[in-house]
Amino acid sequence: MYYTYRTHLTEIVGNRDPLDQKINEVIKLGVTLPLPLKRNAALQRIIFFRLNAYDPSRVRVEDVMKVFSMTNDILMIEEDNSIVAGQLCICDLANISMAHIIQMQPAFLKKAIMIWQESSPIRQKGVHYINAPKIFEQLFALIKSMLSEKMRTRVSPNCRFVCETYR
C-alpha cells in the first residue's frame, strides 16, 4: 500500500524537492515540527502540526501535506522510535481562518487520510486538535466520517491527556 499510494497520489507525495521555493517556504514556516524525545524513548514521537503557521493565500495545503509526508519519511528512515512506539500528532488550530478550511476539500481530505491511515508504516497512535474554533466542528465531523473505526477512536478534539502524559 505504501508504494501504491505513492504512485497514485503525486499531489501529496510527488515533486518533493526541499529546495523548491514553495516547499522551502513551508519548511521555514515550521508548519510540521517533530518534537524531541525527552523523558522516555518508549513514548510515541510527537509531531506538532501548526495549521495556522501558513497564509492560505500564499501556500497551498497540498504543499503543507508534502512537507508533512517528507517529515514522516525522514523519521521513518532515521528513527526507529516512530515505527516501534508510534507517532502522535498534535494539531494547533488557533487562529485558523475560513481560507484554511476552504482548502480542505473533501476529495483532498480523503486522499490525505488514505495515506495516513492505510499506507504509512509509522504506527499512528492518534491525532489531537487543540485551540479548535467552532467553525472546525463541521470539518472535524467530515474527517471522522472518512476514518476507519480503529482510527476514529484515536482522533480527539481534546489534548488534556496527551499534555499531562508528556510533561
Side-chain angles (χ1 to χ4, degrees):
M1 292 304 272
Y2 177 78
Y3 292 109
T4 300
Y5 282 120
R6 287 187 174 285
T7 302
H8 296 291
L9 299 177
T10 56
E11 64 267 32
I12 297 174
V13 293
N15 303 321
R16 301 181 332 159
D17 180 2
L19 300 178
D20 177 80
Q21 183 179 357
K22 291 179 182 180
I23 300 299
N24 194 275
E25 180 180 352
V26 176
I27 292 169
K28 287 181 179 179
L29 288 170
V31 176
T32 302
L33 303 167
L35 302 182
L37 292 171
K38 290 275 186 187
R39 196 176 71 176
N40 183 348
L43 291 174
Q44 297 96 10
R45 162 63 77 188
I46 296 178
I47 302 291
F48 194 63
F49 186 66
R50 300 180 319 142
L51 194 62
N52 59 353
Y54 77 96
D55 179 357
S57 67
R58 294 179 32 104
V59 176
R60 298 176 332 138
V61 71
E62 290 86 352
D63 293 330
V64 171
M65 293 310 295
K66 277 184 190 189
V67 172
F68 188 79
S69 73
M70 290 166 67
T71 302
N72 275 335
D73 286 353
I74 291 168
L75 290 174
M76 185 175 63
I77 292 166
E78 295 183 358
E79 180 191 275
D80 291 340
N81 196 69
S82 292
I83 296 172
V84 176
Q87 173 178 296
L88 185 64
C89 185
I90 299 177
C91 298
D92 185 1
L93 301 175
N95 303 318
I96 63 168
S97 66
M98 183 57 95
H100 286 96
I101 291 177
I102 288 171
Q103 285 188 335
M104 304 289 177
Q105 296 296 317
F108 174 76
L109 280 176
K110 185 152 182 73
K111 290 176 184 180
I113 288 170
M114 285 187 328
I115 287 175
W116 177 73
Q117 169 175 274
E118 298 174 26
S119 73
S120 176
I122 294 177
R123 297 176 68 197
Q124 305 297 334
K125 293 299 194 171
V127 178
H128 298 274
Y129 296 94
I130 59 173
N131 303 317
K134 285 280 187 198
I135 195 168
F136 181 71
E137 289 178 16
Q138 293 165 337
L139 182 61
F140 185 70
L142 177 64
I143 290 169
K144 283 190 84 164
S145 72
M146 295 180 191
L147 295 174
S148 68
E149 186 60 37
K150 178 181 177 181
M151 291 301 178
R152 224 177 273 145
T153 63
R154 295 180 180 189
V155 176
S156 169
N158 184 341
C159 192
R160 177 175 292 142
F161 171 73
V162 176
C163 294
E164 290 172 0
T165 303
Y166 284 89
R167 278 196 189 149

